């Protein structure tokens, strides 16, 4: 794949937003409102049918679609859970071992429930896939997740170094996050896609801390910035407010696209090859 220029990336993003993804983005926005069932949306819909309420009364629509999507998500994520088994052996102590096994199983079940409810990016990924038709996972190298080595030598404090080595072996320095599908514009002409473009609103101060090339001066009137990330197997580039914060377009050190797009499987292809029908049905 030939090296694209920054101008090529800007043109590619604009073309996909205006032509390829316009219909899908519109349908995703409609579905997002239905899933959220916001108060403002509910008021506009139901006020003409519910006269006689006090002035200023806000109608809230029961989030039926959200409940349906959550049922689908829970069915997927709780389909298979780890089970705890221990060797009971023979003779005395079997009852105590069984009590220990049940206690450990309860901890495993509680941990699984906590992960599903709080700390699992797969939950949001599955929610987006089920509710909007597509889910997107990003997994990038994050060295800040690695433990800090001790400041003393191994001879001075071998125990601290043993602890550090254990933590380092147990750490996976990959930042996995779910990306809203409405921010992702992937290559629809190839499977798997040959490139992906992400456009998202971010904090300008956070971008300045992450990319020194932006400098430290932040206009008080502009706290938000737009970040564009272009990724192919061969190249990548990051733009903030249209300007590259990497050294132009750089070779991709991973040699792979670190963003994965999954469709819900509920869609089908129509005679117009429209993306919204392929993704959502």
């Amino acid at each position: 794949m030939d090296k694209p220029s920054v101008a090529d990336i800007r043109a590619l993003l604009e073309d996909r937003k205006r032509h390829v993804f316009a219909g899908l983005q519109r349908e995703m926005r409609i579905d997002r409102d239905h899933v959220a069932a916001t108060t403002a949306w509910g008021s506009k819909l139901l006020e003409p049918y519910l006269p006689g309420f006090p002035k200023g009364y806000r109608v809230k629509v029961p989030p039926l679609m959200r409940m349906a999507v959550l049922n689908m998500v829970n069915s997927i994520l709780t389909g298979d859970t780890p089970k705890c088994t221990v060797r009971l052996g023979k003779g005395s102590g079997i009852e105590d071992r069984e009590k220990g096994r049940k206690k450990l199983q309860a901890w495993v079940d509680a941990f699984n429930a906590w992960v599903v409810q709080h700390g699992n990016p797969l939950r949001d990924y599955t929610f987006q896939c089920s509710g909007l038709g597509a889910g997107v996972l990003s997994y990038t190298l994050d060295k800040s997740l690695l433990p800090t080595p001790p400041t003393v030598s191994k001879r001075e404090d071998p125990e601290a170094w043993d602890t550090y080595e254990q933590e380092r072996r147990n750490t996976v320095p990959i930042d996995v996050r779910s990306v809203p599908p409405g921010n992702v514009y992937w290559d629809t002409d190839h499977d798997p896609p040959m490139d992906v473009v992400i456009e998202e609103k971010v904090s300008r101060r956070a971008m300045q801390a992450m990319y020194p090339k932006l400098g430290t001066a932040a206009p008080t009137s502009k706290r938000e910035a737009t970040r564009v990330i272009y990724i192919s197997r061969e190249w990548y580039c990051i733009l903030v407010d249209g300007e590259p914060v990497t050294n132009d377009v750089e070779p991709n050190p991973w040699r792979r696209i670190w963003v994965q797009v999954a469709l819900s499987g509920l869609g089908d292809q129509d005679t117009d090859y429209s993306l919204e029908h392929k993704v959502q049905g």
Side-chain angles (χ1 to χ4, degrees):
M1 185 175 181
D2 295 334
K3 179 180 179 180
S5 65
V6 172
D8 292 336
I9 294 172
R10 293 194 188 107
L12 177 66
L13 174 61
E14 192 64 22
D15 177 69
R16 289 182 182 174
K17 288 175 65 176
R18 286 181 175 271
H19 304 293
V20 182
F21 284 83
L24 176 61
Q25 296 284 7
R26 180 183 63 252
E27 295 302 322
M28 280 187 174
R29 285 193 294 269
I30 294 173
D31 288 343
R32 190 179 296 113
D33 285 342
H34 279 76
V35 171
T38 59
T39 301
W41 175 75
S43 298
K44 293 178 182 178
L45 179 68
L46 294 182
E47 278 178 355
Y49 303 98
L50 298 174
F53 283 93
K55 184 178 181 180
Y57 178 78
R58 306 301 297 271
V59 181
K60 185 166 178 108
V61 177
L64 300 180
M65 183 173 177
R66 183 178 182 86
M67 291 165 61
V69 173
L70 286 175
N71 283 336
M72 183 175 180
V73 171
N74 291 334
S75 298
I76 295 172
L77 294 182
T78 60
D80 188 16
T81 58
K83 297 297 181 183
C84 170
T85 59
V86 296
R87 291 183 177 273
L88 295 180
K90 297 180 180 180
S92 61
I94 292 181
E95 292 183 357
D96 291 338
R97 293 184 185 184
E98 177 63 11
K99 288 180 181 179
R101 187 198 68 80
K102 289 183 177 180
K103 184 181 294 186
L104 184 57
Q105 180 64 56
W107 182 90
V108 171
D109 293 340
F111 176 79
N112 290 336
W114 183 89
V115 167
V116 169
Q117 293 291 334
H118 299 90
N120 193 346
L122 287 175
R123 181 175 180 81
D124 187 73
Y125 166 80
T126 309
F127 186 92
Q128 303 283 359
C129 196
S130 304
L132 303 183
V136 183
L137 272 186
S138 168
Y139 46 96
T140 55
L141 180 66
D142 187 355
K143 294 183 178 179
S144 67
L145 298 176
L146 291 171
T148 304
T151 56
V152 296
S153 66
K154 287 186 178 181
R155 180 177 297 180
E156 293 176 306
D157 195 343
E159 185 176 342
W161 276 93
D162 289 343
T163 302
Y164 162 72
E165 293 293 345
Q166 182 66 36
E167 291 179 354
R168 189 173 63 86
R169 284 193 295 268
N170 295 335
T171 300
V172 180
I174 305 295
D175 178 26
V176 182
R177 67 185 182 100
S178 172
V179 182
N183 296 346
V184 183
Y185 305 87
W186 63 90
D187 168 32
T188 59
D189 295 325
H190 301 88
D191 188 15
M194 294 184 65
D195 59 36
V196 175
V197 185
I198 302 174
E199 183 183 52
E200 53 191 354
K201 298 295 183 182
V202 292
S203 163
R204 186 168 182 83
R205 289 192 179 277
M207 293 300 98
Q208 288 175 325
M210 190 176 298
Y211 308 115
K213 196 171 181 179
L214 288 174
T216 56
T220 55
S221 59
K222 191 173 184 181
R223 298 181 179 179
E224 192 177 65
T226 300
R227 178 172 62 181
V228 173
I229 305 175
Y230 170 83
I231 316 158
S232 72
R233 289 184 178 273
E234 295 83 10
W235 310 100
Y236 85 101
C237 181
I238 302 175
L239 311 175
V240 175
D241 285 343
E243 297 302 322
V245 294
T246 51
N247 294 324
D248 197 63
V249 181
E250 296 184 345
N252 185 348
W254 279 33
R255 302 295 295 175
R256 65 181 300 165
I257 299 174
W258 60 81
V259 173
Q260 295 293 325
V261 181
L263 305 185
S264 65
L266 302 176
D268 48 23
Q269 194 68 272
D270 63 359
T271 55
D272 296 329
Y273 298 96
S274 59
L275 188 60
E276 53 267 35
H277 286 160
K278 181 180 179 180
V279 173
Q280 294 189 327

